Structure formats: C-alpha cells, structure tokens
Amino acid sequence: MITPDYCKMMARYNAWQNKGLRASFKKLGLTKLQEDRGAFFGSLWGTGNHLLWGDQLWMSRFDGGHGPDSSIKDSTKLHDDVQLFVDDRLRTDERIIRWAGRIKQVDLTGDLSWYSGAMKRDFTKPKALCVMQLFNHQTHHRGQIHAMLTAAGIKPDDTDLPFMPEDN
C-alpha cells in the first residue's frame, strides 16, 4: 500500500508546508487568525489548532508518545497563543520526521487498534491506511488554510510536491 520512502517524503512535505504556515500565522497575529472565515472549523486559528491536534493524536498512536489531552470537540482550542502554537507545530513536525526516518516496511503491516473519542467506539484498521490518513488529513486541512490565507491577503508558498526543496 505505502512504503517507508513515502512516509519520509510526506513527513518532509508536511514540515515544508508547515514552515510557511507558521510564518503566515506569525504575520497575521491572533486577532486576524481567529476571524471566522466560514471554514468547517471556522477560522485559520481553529483549523490550524485542529490540524496540530490531529497530528499529535495520530503520532501518539504510531509512536506511543504523548498525545493531546483534549477531545476533538476542543481540538480548535489546543493553543491560545501564536508563539506557543508555532513552537508546538515545529516540535510536532520534527517528531513526525523522526518517526518516518525510523519506519521499516514491517511497521506498515498489520492492524492498529484504538478507541475513537469522536466516534465513541473501538476501531481496528490496517496500519498503512492509518498512516495514509495522517498525511491525507494534513493535506486536506492545509488546503483549507491555504484558501483562507489567500482570502486574507497572504500569498502562501507553493504546495506542489515536485517543487519541494531538496534540503527540506
């Protein structure tokens, strides 16, 4: 289904894209970030926090490390300070890169089981599918963020995989 190289590339892509996101968030500031822009999670701030929350949740399932203390209904309120968000986003991106750098093909086989607080039930799904969900979730919500940033007058960086810098 997927390979360790795919995981490494997508982890690099995530970090590259979030580098631009962090810069844009710092540029806009909390007041503008919190403006309701009609997105599923309302604002840039809510969407960015939810995205970070989701990354931390999936990583806790993959690497056994710490996950968010809040539920999905509070995922949009993970942080209330731009610098704290930016720092946590960077740490989480580095965590994903470290995890992807260690992954072997065997780590992508078999099933992953967890309890979903959002769905209020247990799940068991193929590990590879769950890893794909991590990266798909990132791309989906960053697409929303990209559109909101554009509407807010910020020109986001390119998002095309072939144009990802090699040193990223």
Side-chain angles (χ1 to χ4, degrees):
M1 196 178 238
I2 59 172
T3 66
D5 285 342
Y6 167 85
C7 296
K8 289 173 193 161
M9 180 186 305
M10 293 307 292
R12 281 184 49 238
Y13 178 75
N14 173 65
W16 173 50
Q17 290 299 297
N18 285 334
K19 182 179 180 181
L21 180 148
R22 291 190 317 267
S24 295
F25 274 32
K26 286 172 78 170
K27 185 175 184 177
L28 277 174
L30 191 56
T31 301
K32 291 238 184 245
L33 289 169
Q34 291 176 327
E35 288 179 11
D36 190 334
R37 298 181 185 277
F40 185 81
F41 291 106
S43 65
L44 282 156
W45 190 242
T47 305
N49 269 303
H50 171 77
L51 174 56
L52 177 57
W53 176 90
D55 284 353
Q56 292 174 350
L57 181 66
W58 280 108
M59 286 310 301
S60 71
R61 294 171 180 162
F62 299 150
D63 70 7
H66 183 72
D69 295 324
S70 58
S71 68
I72 192 169
K73 74 177 183 65
D74 293 324
S75 65
T76 59
K77 303 172 198 153
L78 187 65
H79 289 290
D80 60 4
D81 176 87
V82 174
Q83 192 59 54
L84 291 175
F85 171 87
V86 165
D87 293 346
D88 201 15
R89 179 73 268 175
L90 180 60
R91 278 191 302 275
T92 301
D93 294 344
E94 290 171 352
R95 177 182 180 184
I96 295 168
I97 287 173
R98 284 191 308 274
W99 165 80
R102 293 188 307 265
I103 205 162
K104 305 286 186 240
Q105 192 64 45
V106 70
D107 299 321
L108 299 170
T109 61
D111 290 333
L112 178 68
S113 297
W114 75 96
Y115 177 79
S116 168
M119 302 300 287
K120 306 288 188 235
R121 67 183 184 95
D122 291 316
F123 278 87
T124 298
K125 297 289 179 181
K127 287 180 189 175
L129 178 73
C130 295
V131 172
M132 290 169 56
Q133 170 59 23
L134 166 75
F135 295 123
N136 187 65
H137 185 257
Q138 293 169 345
T139 301
H140 167 70
H141 286 304
R142 272 197 312 268
Q144 293 172 325
I145 289 170
H146 190 277
M148 287 187 277
L149 285 172
T150 301
I154 301 291
K155 184 179 179 334
D157 295 335
D158 196 353
T159 60
D160 296 324
L161 271 166
F163 306 131
M164 180 170 52
E166 291 297 322
D167 62 344
N168 194 44

